[in-house]
Amino acid sequence: MPNYFFIAEFEKDFKKLEKRFRTLKDDFENMKRSLLEVHYLKNTPLPANALVDIKGCCGEKYKSQKVRKFACKSLKNLGNRSGIRIVFVIEFSKNKDFKITFIEIYYKGDKENEDRARLLNFINSKKLI
């Protein structure tokens, strides 16, 4: 089972979006179970572009990725093309355990891309590089 962590900025972003999209909490838990855990624990292949590496922010022991296929029930009839993006860093260890830290969640209608400064600040503060 992966260990999940959240930075303070992510929690703030999440609360803000949750006011607009009431099902976000349940949708987020579903994404962790059906996307991240299935992929990383069971090595199940994912649909194309479901998870995308963030270029320039990956190393030997970690990957920075963005969830692009996120189904939000509040955004009806869009399925996994809701426009909600989730940025996270996954750290791998030698015993095949891993830790996922959520960095940012945003709605693509509000902003186009992830906050690279926030992501790099997290990576540098954890000395992952």
Side-chain angles (χ1 to χ4, degrees):
M1 194 71 166
N3 295 311
Y4 295 110
F5 299 92
F6 307 89
I7 65 170
E9 293 96 336
F10 178 89
E11 291 175 339
K12 185 178 176 185
D13 294 343
F14 193 90
K15 285 179 185 176
K16 197 178 199 182
L17 281 178
E18 193 174 25
K19 290 177 185 174
R20 289 171 57 193
F21 309 114
R22 298 283 180 193
T23 62
L24 189 62
K25 186 175 184 176
D26 291 336
D27 298 332
F28 183 74
E29 291 302 318
N30 187 41
M31 179 274 305
K32 289 192 311 189
R33 278 191 315 276
S34 63
L35 188 73
L36 298 180
E37 291 175 13
V38 165
H39 178 63
Y40 287 112
L41 290 176
K42 298 179 182 174
N43 293 326
T44 305
L46 295 174
N49 294 326
L51 291 178
V52 181
D53 289 348
I54 299 174
K55 293 184 194 293
C57 298
C58 296
E60 284 182 29
K61 299 177 188 173
Y62 73 97
K63 272 188 185 180
S64 300
Q65 293 188 308
K66 180 179 358 182
V67 176
R68 292 186 60 199
K69 304 276 185 177
F70 182 86
C72 182
K73 293 176 194 155
S74 293
L75 293 160
K76 296 181 175 147
N77 301 322
L78 293 177
N80 64 12
R81 294 174 289 134
S82 67
I84 293 178
R85 303 292 191 254
I86 300 168
V87 177
F88 66 93
V89 173
I90 181 165
E91 298 173 59
F92 303 100
S93 65
K94 293 176 184 172
N95 60 359
K96 295 193 178 186
D97 220 9
F98 55 92
K99 175 173 122 174
I100 294 177
T101 305
F102 293 99
I103 307 298
E104 184 178 15
I105 183 169
Y106 63 95
Y107 178 59
K108 207 148 159 60
D110 297 337
K111 74 186 242 186
E112 191 64 27
N113 287 313
E114 68 276 355
D115 184 346
R116 274 212 173 310
R118 182 191 298 186
L119 179 58
L120 290 171
N121 186 35
F122 172 78
I123 291 169
N124 290 332
S125 72
K126 298 292 276 180
K127 296 180 175 53
L128 296 175
I129 296 177

